Amino acid sequence: MQKITCSAPGKIYLFGEHAVVYGESAICCAVDLRTQVRASLSDTIRISSVLGDTGLDHDRYPYVSSVIEKMSEITDIKGVDLCIDSNIPVGSGLGSSAAVTIATIQALNLLFGCGMGAEDIATLGHSIERKIQGAASPTDTYVSTMGGVVMVPLKKKLKIIDCGIVIGNTGKFSSTRQLVSNVALLKKNYPEIIDPILSTIGMISLTGEELVTKKEYRSIGVLMNINQGLLDAIGVSSPELADLIYAARSAGAYSAKITGAGGGGCMVALAHPSEMQLVASAITKAGGEAIITKVTEQGVRVEN
Ligand code: PMV
């Protein structure tokens, strides 16, 4: 094989971010926003995207460079040309780093015939994210590899949901590490208050499981909105997120909440397909970048 193109999806949380850090359940969905990596055999290493053209470069391409180095330990990579293209906004809680990591691993896996299976890909992806970020939950890399709707930490696949997903990006930087440490401090100072909030978030995910299976979008929406209230209570909302969330709800969404770490980054709304455009327009009017998408069953895949 001389060349191959692979892609992997980003993700949203229906329920459970932050609580999942403390072992509670969460439900995550792969969404139809993808990062594509075109890999071809070459004499040298070259990585290119809108960020520029370079060789191994841990500043500009930390994930892709680490994948090349790690995969060089299991196969002889003399040279490879990697071209990256993505429609997942970067650094906004949608799993862009996991998607580029997983798509690159699978492209090299197939190009060099390493024989890795999906579990191996997810595990290597997680170890690379952990090395670069210091700490990372396995959720993003797992969901990007497997696709679909996944209950974590059990890694249980649920039925796909087929309502409209509208994401609103505040465009404000969100530091997962900072927000996770803010919540840890709050939990340390007020355990009798924060612990029950986190376990209630976990209970929302457990209750949500059956509703997801039955595709009861209105009830899923009620639980997502309760989850949002609890995320606000633990201090991870922001005025920008709140503006987009209330705009989406007022425009007829079933629900709207933060997705991911919060503080900035993105919110997600569930809507009836006929309402998606209205919800997206309301998000834009409230100052966000709206992205209409859907949940996808397709994790990492080969592109034609
Ligand atoms: O913002 P993201 O996509 O990195 O999601 C963070 C989710 C947290 O639960 C806050 C942290 C984690 O590692 O699970």
Side-chain angles (χ1 to χ4, degrees):
M1 189 186 296
Q2 292 294 311
K3 60 179 168 188
I4 191 156
T5 301
C6 292
S7 75
K11 64 99 201 17
I12 55 111
Y13 274 92
L14 284 184
F15 316 109
E17 49 274 88
H18 288 287
V20 74
V21 173
Y22 301 96
E24 299 290 345
S25 293
I27 299 181
C28 236
C29 307
V31 289
D32 209 12
L33 300 170
R34 306 187 75 89
T35 296
Q36 190 164 309
V37 175
R38 200 173 67 233
S40 28
L41 291 179
S42 167
D43 296 333
T44 54
I45 290 174
R46 178 171 166 264
I47 310 171
S48 61
S49 78
V50 288
L51 297 178
D53 203 329
T54 165
L56 269 191
D57 183 337
H58 285 277
D59 293 326
R60 211 178 318 179
Y61 295 106
Y63 298 94
V64 176
S65 299
S66 292
V67 172
I68 296 171
E69 281 182 355
K70 271 279 162 204
M71 303 266 311
S72 297
E73 293 171 11
I74 49 176
T75 186
D76 187 18
I77 302 182
K78 291 201 176 58
V80 66
D81 194 333
L82 294 171
C83 184
I84 302 152
D85 193 13
S86 181
N87 58 7
I88 309 175
V90 173
S92 56
L94 298 177
S96 62
S97 58
V100 76
T101 304
I102 297 300
T104 306
I105 295 174
Q106 178 66 313
L108 296 183
N109 176 38
L110 297 176
L111 194 63
F112 292 96
C114 303
M116 294 168 76
E119 288 287 344
D120 306 322
I121 293 171
T123 304
L124 177 60
H126 178 221
S127 77
I128 287 171
E129 275 217 319
R130 212 175 37 215
K131 187 185 118 213
I132 294 168
Q133 298 171 9
S137 84
T139 308
D140 286 21
T141 36
Y142 189 83
V143 173
S144 188
T145 306
M146 307 295 177
V149 182
V150 183
M151 185 129 191
V152 287
L154 284 183
K155 297 184 175 171
K156 179 176 173 189
K157 272 246 194 171
L158 307 182
K159 265 201 222 148
I160 202 98
I161 53 170
D162 52 11
C163 63
I165 306 270
V166 189
I167 291 166
N169 189 354
T170 60
K172 197 179 144 196
F173 178 71
S174 157
S175 162
T176 301
R177 190 188 286 230
Q178 183 64 55
L179 285 141
V180 167
S181 95
N182 294 353
V183 173
L185 184 63
L186 210 54
K187 179 172 153 55
K188 182 166 166 270
N189 290 341
Y190 305 100
E192 54 295 318
I193 298 169
I194 303 301
D195 289 352
I197 294 180
L198 295 171
S199 63
T200 303
I201 293 178
M203 188 54 70
I204 289 176
S205 304
L206 294 174
T207 308
E209 180 184 353
E210 198 187 337
L211 301 175
V212 167
T213 306
K214 291 183 176 161
K215 301 188 180 188
E216 289 185 11
Y217 299 123
R218 274 185 203 287
S219 306
I220 294 170
V222 170
L223 293 190
M224 285 174 71
N225 289 346
I226 297 172
N227 194 159
Q228 171 57 28
L230 298 173
L231 287 168
D232 203 348
I234 59 171
V236 301
S237 194
S238 74
E240 296 84 356
L241 282 164
D243 284 348
L244 304 192
I245 286 166
Y246 283 104
R249 287 186 196 167
S250 305
Y254 294 130
S255 59
K257 65 177 269 296
I258 290 164
T259 178
C266 293
M267 47 71 70
V268 61
L270 249 53
H272 188 275
S274 65
E275 307 277 341
M276 283 190 309
Q277 203 57 59
L278 275 175
V279 172
S281 304
I283 287 172
T284 309
K285 222 169 137 201
E289 181 207 354
I291 305 169
I292 292 180
T293 185
K294 59 184 189 313
V295 173
T296 177
E297 194 67 81
Q298 306 253 305
V300 66
R301 72 179 183 210
V302 175
E303 298 287 333
N304 289 323

